[in-house]
Structure formats: structure tokens, C-alpha cells
Amino acid sequence: MPRVLAAVKSFPAEFRPAPKDQRRRMSSPTLTSRPGGALVGRVRAPGDKSISHRALILGALAEGETQIEGLLEGDDVVRTAEAMQAFGAGVERLGEGRWRVTGQGELTEPADVVDCGNSGTGARQIMGAAARVAIAATFTGDASLRRRPMARVTDPLTQMGALAVTRAGGRLPLTLRGGALKRISYRQPVPSAQVKSALLLAGLGPGVEVIETDPTRDHTERMLAAFGASLHVEARETGRAVRLEGGQRLTGTRVRVPGDPSSAAFPLVAALIVPGSEVTVLGVLLNPLRAGLFETLIEMGADLTISNRREDGGEPVGDITARHSALRGVEVPPDRATSMIDEYPILAVAAAFAEGPTAMRGVGELRVKESDRIALMAAGLQACGVMVEEEPEGMIVTGLARANHPVQGGATVRTHGDHRVAMAHLVMGLAAEAPIEVDEPGMIATSFPGFEALMRGLGAAIGTPGPAEAR
Ligand code: S3P
């Protein structure tokens, strides 16, 4: 049996991603949300996806044992766990969210193609980690990932000395051969934490400097330090420079994964738009490079309070309470985009319930996420009766709250398998006049496996439509 398959078999069935063709059959073809009563309760957000990927990858690159608590057991992260096993690390699930990774200090050549599923974060970071050593690995992913740009990571890795054989346009599948890398100083043309992380992982041997004009999430920097690496971060006139000297050795450690703000955003925005609601999400990561949505919602007039601020696992966390609020449109500063890049779909929903226009600009990157999120959010909102102007690098959503013009809903939204587009529209349906249905709901499990149950626990009417609900 190929090694990667044997590896998959050692995971409990419930955390094994279904093969692509089965996933659609297994899950219901659609999920529907409908307006109902207030949402009330206290919930815990699932583990942060970005930190979960990094904990597994750094654990595999380190020498010795890494114990992880609170790991997100979503499909994307399980793919990374399987990949790390395929690259020679020991990966075991000890209990809910508790995993142990045993690394040898180096990755070894995988026996088969590495399938990263839907995850750009997994694929790009693992490429960086693999480029460090003289091995060849072939990467692929699902239809969405195979459309996403990979040259942004293979170009700088090639400059460091790796060899990449890609399809036209630099898409997956691609084969990478690493080893004997040289140190480079790389100024990112597009701010990307995934690319920065890939280069830092590749640079553990030769050293590397990455300069970013807009600072992106710094979990890799924080976690590398926790694994014993020494980094220098410097604010320069030209941008934020992260420098890693060569010859770094990582040692296994304990990682506690805080709650994902990108997932917490869905129940919190639901509470803001459904009258009478009050929802608290416990233990949410409050890293300033991830908190742009909360800042924006507060500017929009949201009643959001943060309590019990504390430090957990080297990251700031807190409990966030959202109460139903009268929102007003705002202009989101483009330089805030990196701190809320995954939150624009749910912000667009909040904007639909606000008074006046909310302008989201300088976010062309949204077109190369799991889907073209500008096009899909504009189409979905328009189908639900919301005014949206689409721009090449952004969109303007105009809410008509004061004119008492409700969001109509009553549409079936095509998500192109994008988990965040699906969850955003399901949240919108809770406060619209008529139910909203989304296709491919099985993909929500890539980042938020318990989404439906968690929302229902708060009182949300989300489920598969029964015969009585046929429209
Ligand atoms: C991520 C970085 C972001 C984000 C993604 C997770 C990460 O992507 O959209 O969901 O964990 O580094 P980019 O780095 O491409 O902006």
C-alpha cells in the first residue's frame, strides 16, 4: 500500500477527509438558513487554522516531540497532518484536539503525490519546508487549489536554488526538488503570510530575509521562536523585514492553539444582525495582525466587548461578546486588508444590514482565494436583493437599514466549494426575509467542522430543507 494511504488509515475515520468525489455524495447537496429568533449563548471557537497548520509543520521539522492542544480538526489541517506523515514525521491523534508530532529534524522524500486538498496554506508552507532538503515531492490539491497561483512561492524558492516543474501558469500539480539552497533577501510583491512562512521554513538552513510592505500574520515568526529559532524583526522605511540566520535547529515543544478569529466571526456577526441576540465566543485569538474585522465592526457601531484578555500559547486571546447592533457603513482602509483578509465575505454580510455604503478596496487578493470571493459575494448578495458594486480590486455594499429595507434572501447561492462564502450566506439567511440556501455545504468542514451544530446550539435555524420547507 502506498505510504501516504497507510498514513491516512491511521487517522480515526471521522478525521479522514473523504475523497473528493465522495465528499459531495456524503454530505447533503445544500444547507439552508432561515430567519428565526434571537441567538443567545456562549461557545468556543474551533482552533485557529493558521496556527494548527504551522504547529504540525514545525513539529515535523523539529527534533523530538511536539504536543499540540486545541488543534483544528478540519479537513485542511488533517491534510497537513497526513502530509507530515508522508514526509516521515510521526503524527498521532491522542484525543480531541490533542496531537503528538515526532520529528527527526529533517523531512524525508514522500513515496507518493502529496494532496493538500483545498488548502493553499498547507500546500505553500509545506513546499517551503520540503525545499530545504535534497528530496523531490509532487504536490496537488482539489479543483480549487489547482486553480490558485503557486508561482508566488515557487519563484522565490527557485531563486534560493530549488527546482520547480510546474504546469503553465505555475499551477498545481507541481514537482519540487530542493536542497543546497542559498540565502536570499526577498521583497514580497504581494503581501502573503503563506509565502513569507514558506521562505522562512526554506531559510532555516541557509538563512533568509523577507520584506513585506504590509505586515501579515506573524504566527510563523512567533512559533519559530517557541521552537528555539532566533529571528530578527525590524521595521524599516521600506517595510517590515524578518531575518533568519542560517543553521537553525528546531526542538519539539508544546503548542496551545487559540480559537480562530476567522471562524468566531460567523457567530459574532450573526449576533450583530439578528435582533435580540447576545453571543459570546470564548478564547478567541486577538493577535493584532488578525483583528482587523473586529476593529472595522466597532467603527460600524457594533456592540462588541472583549473580556478576560490573557496570553495563551504565546498569543493574546480574549472572550468576545456581540449584541444586536445598529450598524453604519464605513470605508475600510486598504492597509487593514492583511489583518482581515479572510473576513471580507462575512464583513460584506454585516454591511448588507448597515445603513449606507461600506467600501472594501485594495483587496484584489480575494479573487485568488478558495474562490473569486469578490465575484461570488457580489453575486450571492445581489441574488438576495442587496446593492453591490463590484470593482476590479474590491466591492461596495450598500445597506439600507434606515429606510427599513430588509435583505430579501430567498435565493440559492453557488459557493464554488468555498467554505467562507457558504458560511457568510448562511449567516445572512438568519436575518433575511426569506431563507437562503447554499450548495456544497460539505466544504464548510475545511475550516469549521462543527459550524452547523454550533450555530444551532445558539438558536440558529440552519439545516437541510425538509419536504415541508420546499419553496
Ligand atoms: C494564511 C494566510 C492568508 C489567509 C489564509 C491563511 C496563513 O493567505 O488568506 O487563509 O495561515 O498564512 P495569504 O498569505 O495568501 O494572504
Side-chain angles (χ1 to χ4, degrees), residues 11 38 64 67 77-78 82 138 152 192 211 217 233 265 268 272 316 381 407-408 428 433 457 462 464 469:
F11 289 97
Q67 300 269 356
V77 174
V78 173
E82 290 167 8
T138 300
R152 56 179 57 193
S192 165
I211 302 157
R217 63 193 71 192
V233 180
L268 291 171
L272 295 177
L381 266 70
V407 170
Q408 290 157 16
M428 186 157 74
E433 285 206 304
I462 297 185
T464 45
E469 290 158 339

Side-chain angles (χ1 to χ4, degrees), residues 232-248:
H232 307 270
V233 180
E234 206 178 291
R236 296 191 191 147
E237 237 167 59
T238 49
R240 176 177 180 270
V242 184
R243 204 174 71 244
L244 193 63
E245 300 308 332
Q248 304 279 345

